[in-house]
Short mmCIF file of all heavy atoms in Angstrom, two decimals:
data_model
loop_
_atom_site.label_atom_id
_atom_site.label_comp_id
_atom_site.label_asym_id
_atom_site.label_seq_id
_atom_site.Cartn_x
_atom_site.Cartn_y
_atom_site.Cartn_z
N GLY Y 1 -98.37 -56.01 -1.71
CA GLY Y 1 -97.71 -56.97 -0.86
C GLY Y 1 -96.23 -57.15 -1.14
O GLY Y 1 -95.55 -57.90 -0.44
N THR Y 2 -95.70 -56.44 -2.14
CA THR Y 2 -94.30 -56.61 -2.51
C THR Y 2 -93.37 -56.24 -1.36
O THR Y 2 -92.43 -56.96 -1.04
CB THR Y 2 -93.96 -55.78 -3.76
OG1 THR Y 2 -94.68 -56.29 -4.89
CG2 THR Y 2 -92.47 -55.85 -4.08
N ALA Y 3 -93.62 -55.11 -0.71
CA ALA Y 3 -92.74 -54.67 0.37
C ALA Y 3 -92.78 -55.66 1.53
O ALA Y 3 -91.72 -56.03 2.07
CB ALA Y 3 -93.15 -53.28 0.85
N GLN Y 4 -93.96 -56.10 1.93
CA GLN Y 4 -94.05 -57.06 3.02
C GLN Y 4 -93.35 -58.37 2.65
O GLN Y 4 -92.69 -59.01 3.48
CB GLN Y 4 -95.51 -57.35 3.36
CG GLN Y 4 -96.22 -56.22 4.09
CD GLN Y 4 -97.42 -56.73 4.86
OE1 GLN Y 4 -97.29 -57.53 5.77
NE2 GLN Y 4 -98.60 -56.25 4.48
N SER Y 5 -93.47 -58.77 1.39
CA SER Y 5 -92.81 -59.99 0.93
C SER Y 5 -91.29 -59.85 1.00
O SER Y 5 -90.58 -60.79 1.37
CB SER Y 5 -93.26 -60.32 -0.49
OG SER Y 5 -92.65 -61.51 -0.94
N LEU Y 6 -90.79 -58.67 0.65
CA LEU Y 6 -89.35 -58.43 0.75
C LEU Y 6 -88.88 -58.49 2.20
O LEU Y 6 -87.78 -58.97 2.48
CB LEU Y 6 -88.99 -57.07 0.14
CG LEU Y 6 -89.03 -57.00 -1.39
CD1 LEU Y 6 -88.87 -55.56 -1.85
CD2 LEU Y 6 -87.95 -57.88 -2.00
N GLY Y 7 -89.73 -58.04 3.11
CA GLY Y 7 -89.40 -58.17 4.53
C GLY Y 7 -89.28 -59.63 4.93
O GLY Y 7 -88.37 -60.00 5.68
N ARG Y 8 -90.18 -60.45 4.44
CA ARG Y 8 -90.11 -61.88 4.71
C ARG Y 8 -88.85 -62.48 4.10
O ARG Y 8 -88.19 -63.34 4.71
CB ARG Y 8 -91.35 -62.57 4.14
CG ARG Y 8 -91.34 -64.09 4.19
CD ARG Y 8 -91.37 -64.63 5.60
NE ARG Y 8 -91.35 -66.08 5.61
CZ ARG Y 8 -91.29 -66.81 6.71
NH1 ARG Y 8 -91.23 -66.23 7.91
NH2 ARG Y 8 -91.26 -68.13 6.64
N MET Y 9 -88.47 -62.01 2.93
CA MET Y 9 -87.27 -62.51 2.28
C MET Y 9 -86.02 -62.20 3.11
O MET Y 9 -85.14 -63.05 3.28
CB MET Y 9 -87.11 -61.91 0.88
CG MET Y 9 -85.98 -62.52 0.07
SD MET Y 9 -85.62 -61.63 -1.46
CE MET Y 9 -84.71 -60.24 -0.79
N VAL Y 10 -85.95 -60.97 3.65
CA VAL Y 10 -84.81 -60.59 4.47
C VAL Y 10 -84.69 -61.52 5.68
O VAL Y 10 -83.58 -61.92 6.08
CB VAL Y 10 -84.94 -59.13 4.94
CG1 VAL Y 10 -83.91 -58.79 6.01
CG2 VAL Y 10 -84.79 -58.19 3.75
N ARG Y 11 -85.82 -61.89 6.24
CA ARG Y 11 -85.80 -62.73 7.46
C ARG Y 11 -85.47 -64.19 7.17
O ARG Y 11 -84.98 -64.90 8.06
CB ARG Y 11 -87.14 -62.63 8.18
CG ARG Y 11 -87.41 -61.26 8.80
CD ARG Y 11 -88.67 -61.27 9.65
NE ARG Y 11 -89.88 -61.42 8.86
CZ ARG Y 11 -90.57 -60.39 8.35
NH1 ARG Y 11 -90.14 -59.15 8.53
NH2 ARG Y 11 -91.67 -60.60 7.66
N THR Y 12 -85.73 -64.67 5.96
CA THR Y 12 -85.56 -66.11 5.69
C THR Y 12 -84.51 -66.43 4.63
O THR Y 12 -84.18 -67.60 4.44
CB THR Y 12 -86.90 -66.72 5.25
OG1 THR Y 12 -87.34 -66.11 4.03
CG2 THR Y 12 -87.97 -66.54 6.31
N ALA Y 13 -83.98 -65.43 3.95
CA ALA Y 13 -83.03 -65.68 2.86
C ALA Y 13 -81.76 -66.34 3.41
O ALA Y 13 -81.23 -65.94 4.46
CB ALA Y 13 -82.69 -64.39 2.15
N ARG Y 14 -81.28 -67.32 2.70
CA ARG Y 14 -80.02 -67.95 3.06
C ARG Y 14 -79.41 -68.57 1.80
O ARG Y 14 -80.09 -69.28 1.07
CB ARG Y 14 -80.22 -69.02 4.14
CG ARG Y 14 -78.89 -69.60 4.62
CD ARG Y 14 -79.04 -70.41 5.87
NE ARG Y 14 -77.73 -70.86 6.35
CZ ARG Y 14 -76.90 -70.13 7.08
NH1 ARG Y 14 -77.24 -68.90 7.41
NH2 ARG Y 14 -75.75 -70.60 7.47
N GLU Y 15 -78.14 -68.29 1.58
CA GLU Y 15 -77.43 -68.83 0.43
C GLU Y 15 -76.89 -70.23 0.72
O GLU Y 15 -76.70 -70.61 1.88
CB GLU Y 15 -76.27 -67.90 0.04
CG GLU Y 15 -76.66 -66.48 -0.29
CD GLU Y 15 -77.43 -66.37 -1.59
OE1 GLU Y 15 -77.17 -67.17 -2.50
OE2 GLU Y 15 -78.28 -65.47 -1.68
N GLU Y 16 -76.63 -70.98 -0.34
CA GLU Y 16 -76.01 -72.29 -0.18
C GLU Y 16 -74.50 -72.13 0.04
O GLU Y 16 -73.86 -71.21 -0.47
CB GLU Y 16 -76.24 -73.14 -1.43
CG GLU Y 16 -77.68 -73.63 -1.57
CD GLU Y 16 -78.06 -74.61 -0.47
OE1 GLU Y 16 -77.84 -75.81 -0.64
OE2 GLU Y 16 -78.59 -74.16 0.57
N ASP Y 17 -73.96 -73.03 0.81
CA ASP Y 17 -72.52 -73.01 1.10
C ASP Y 17 -71.72 -73.22 -0.19
O ASP Y 17 -72.09 -74.02 -1.05
CB ASP Y 17 -72.19 -74.11 2.12
CG ASP Y 17 -70.82 -73.92 2.73
OD1 ASP Y 17 -69.82 -74.07 2.01
OD2 ASP Y 17 -70.76 -73.60 3.93
N LEU Y 18 -70.60 -72.53 -0.29
CA LEU Y 18 -69.77 -72.63 -1.49
C LEU Y 18 -68.89 -73.88 -1.49
O LEU Y 18 -68.17 -74.11 -2.47
CB LEU Y 18 -68.88 -71.38 -1.61
CG LEU Y 18 -69.57 -70.14 -2.17
CD1 LEU Y 18 -68.63 -68.97 -2.14
CD2 LEU Y 18 -70.03 -70.39 -3.60
N ALA Y 19 -68.95 -74.67 -0.44
CA ALA Y 19 -68.10 -75.86 -0.37
C ALA Y 19 -68.36 -76.82 -1.52
O ALA Y 19 -67.45 -77.53 -1.97
CB ALA Y 19 -68.31 -76.57 0.97
N GLY Y 20 -69.59 -76.82 -2.04
CA GLY Y 20 -69.92 -77.73 -3.13
C GLY Y 20 -69.58 -77.22 -4.51
O GLY Y 20 -69.66 -77.95 -5.49
N PHE Y 21 -69.19 -75.95 -4.61
CA PHE Y 21 -68.96 -75.34 -5.92
C PHE Y 21 -67.76 -75.93 -6.66
O PHE Y 21 -67.86 -76.25 -7.85
CB PHE Y 21 -68.81 -73.83 -5.78
CG PHE Y 21 -68.71 -73.09 -7.08
CD1 PHE Y 21 -69.73 -73.15 -8.01
CD2 PHE Y 21 -67.59 -72.33 -7.39
CE1 PHE Y 21 -69.64 -72.47 -9.23
CE2 PHE Y 21 -67.47 -71.65 -8.58
CZ PHE Y 21 -68.50 -71.72 -9.51
N PRO Y 22 -66.60 -76.11 -6.01
CA PRO Y 22 -65.43 -76.64 -6.75
C PRO Y 22 -65.67 -78.01 -7.36
O PRO Y 22 -65.15 -78.32 -8.43
CB PRO Y 22 -64.33 -76.68 -5.68
CG PRO Y 22 -64.74 -75.67 -4.67
CD PRO Y 22 -66.24 -75.75 -4.63
N ASP Y 23 -66.45 -78.86 -6.68
CA ASP Y 23 -66.65 -80.23 -7.16
C ASP Y 23 -68.00 -80.44 -7.84
O ASP Y 23 -68.36 -81.59 -8.12
CB ASP Y 23 -66.52 -81.20 -5.97
CG ASP Y 23 -65.14 -81.14 -5.33
OD1 ASP Y 23 -64.16 -81.03 -6.07
OD2 ASP Y 23 -65.08 -81.20 -4.09
N LEU Y 24 -68.71 -79.39 -8.13
CA LEU Y 24 -69.99 -79.52 -8.83
C LEU Y 24 -69.74 -80.19 -10.18
O LEU Y 24 -68.98 -79.68 -11.00
CB LEU Y 24 -70.61 -78.14 -9.03
CG LEU Y 24 -72.02 -78.10 -9.62
CD1 LEU Y 24 -73.03 -78.67 -8.64
CD2 LEU Y 24 -72.40 -76.66 -10.00
N PRO Y 25 -70.37 -81.34 -10.43
CA PRO Y 25 -70.06 -82.09 -11.64
C PRO Y 25 -70.74 -81.57 -12.90
O PRO Y 25 -71.35 -82.32 -13.66
CB PRO Y 25 -70.54 -83.50 -11.28
CG PRO Y 25 -71.72 -83.26 -10.40
CD PRO Y 25 -71.35 -82.03 -9.57
N LEU Y 26 -70.63 -80.27 -13.12
CA LEU Y 26 -71.25 -79.63 -14.27
C LEU Y 26 -70.31 -78.56 -14.82
O LEU Y 26 -69.57 -77.93 -14.06
CB LEU Y 26 -72.58 -78.96 -13.86
CG LEU Y 26 -73.71 -79.82 -13.35
CD1 LEU Y 26 -74.83 -78.93 -12.81
CD2 LEU Y 26 -74.23 -80.73 -14.44
N PRO Y 27 -70.36 -78.30 -16.12
CA PRO Y 27 -69.63 -77.16 -16.66
C PRO Y 27 -70.28 -75.85 -16.17
O PRO Y 27 -71.49 -75.79 -15.97
CB PRO Y 27 -69.76 -77.30 -18.17
CG PRO Y 27 -70.99 -78.15 -18.36
CD PRO Y 27 -71.07 -79.06 -17.18
N VAL Y 28 -69.45 -74.84 -15.96
CA VAL Y 28 -69.94 -73.55 -15.45
C VAL Y 28 -69.50 -72.44 -16.41
O VAL Y 28 -68.34 -72.38 -16.83
CB VAL Y 28 -69.39 -73.26 -14.04
CG1 VAL Y 28 -69.94 -71.93 -13.52
CG2 VAL Y 28 -69.76 -74.40 -13.07
N LEU Y 29 -70.44 -71.57 -16.72
CA LEU Y 29 -70.17 -70.38 -17.51
C LEU Y 29 -70.49 -69.15 -16.69
O LEU Y 29 -71.56 -69.06 -16.10
CB LEU Y 29 -71.03 -70.38 -18.79
CG LEU Y 29 -71.04 -69.07 -19.61
CD1 LEU Y 29 -69.67 -68.78 -20.21
CD2 LEU Y 29 -72.12 -69.12 -20.70
N ALA Y 30 -69.55 -68.22 -16.62
CA ALA Y 30 -69.78 -66.95 -15.92
C ALA Y 30 -69.76 -65.81 -16.94
O ALA Y 30 -68.85 -65.73 -17.77
CB ALA Y 30 -68.71 -66.71 -14.87
N ILE Y 31 -70.79 -64.97 -16.89
CA ILE Y 31 -70.89 -63.79 -17.76
C ILE Y 31 -70.96 -62.57 -16.86
O ILE Y 31 -71.82 -62.49 -15.98
CB ILE Y 31 -72.13 -63.88 -18.67
CG1 ILE Y 31 -72.05 -65.13 -19.55
CG2 ILE Y 31 -72.27 -62.62 -19.51
CD1 ILE Y 31 -73.30 -65.37 -20.40
N TRP Y 32 -70.04 -61.63 -17.06
CA TRP Y 32 -69.93 -60.48 -16.16
C TRP Y 32 -69.84 -59.17 -16.95
O TRP Y 32 -69.23 -59.14 -18.02
CB TRP Y 32 -68.67 -60.61 -15.33
CG TRP Y 32 -68.91 -60.47 -13.85
CD1 TRP Y 32 -68.83 -59.34 -13.08
CD2 TRP Y 32 -69.28 -61.53 -12.95
NE1 TRP Y 32 -69.13 -59.62 -11.76
CE2 TRP Y 32 -69.39 -60.98 -11.66
CE3 TRP Y 32 -69.52 -62.89 -13.09
CZ2 TRP Y 32 -69.74 -61.73 -10.54
CZ3 TRP Y 32 -69.86 -63.64 -11.99
CH2 TRP Y 32 -69.97 -63.05 -10.73
N GLY Y 33 -70.42 -58.13 -16.40
CA GLY Y 33 -70.28 -56.81 -16.97
C GLY Y 33 -68.94 -56.20 -16.58
O GLY Y 33 -68.58 -56.21 -15.40
N GLU Y 34 -68.22 -55.70 -17.56
CA GLU Y 34 -66.89 -55.12 -17.30
C GLU Y 34 -66.96 -53.97 -16.28
O GLU Y 34 -66.08 -53.81 -15.43
CB GLU Y 34 -66.31 -54.60 -18.61
CG GLU Y 34 -64.96 -53.91 -18.47
CD GLU Y 34 -64.55 -53.17 -19.71
OE1 GLU Y 34 -65.44 -52.72 -20.48
OE2 GLU Y 34 -63.32 -53.02 -19.95
N LYS Y 35 -68.06 -53.21 -16.33
CA LYS Y 35 -68.18 -52.03 -15.47
C LYS Y 35 -69.25 -52.22 -14.40
O LYS Y 35 -69.90 -51.25 -13.99
CB LYS Y 35 -68.48 -50.80 -16.33
CG LYS Y 35 -67.36 -50.48 -17.33
CD LYS Y 35 -67.68 -49.24 -18.15
CE LYS Y 35 -66.54 -48.89 -19.10
NZ LYS Y 35 -66.83 -47.69 -19.91
#
């Protein structure tokens, strides 16, 4: 069922708006791979 579930994810996935990110009242740590 993994493939069918991924199909459902494509149809319903939605990210949260970034408007709330600058004023999020929490400390934020970002960890990134150089390459």
Side-chain angles (χ1 to χ4, degrees):
T2 294
Q4 287 202 63
S5 180
L6 286 172
R8 173 66 181 175
M9 187 190 77
V10 170
R11 291 188 290 271
T12 62
R14 185 168 184 82
E15 301 291 328
E16 288 294 272
D17 195 291
L18 281 176
F21 186 60
D23 299 321
L24 186 68
L26 296 172
V28 181
L29 170 66
I31 300 175
W32 232 267
E34 177 192 28
K35 297 181 178 180

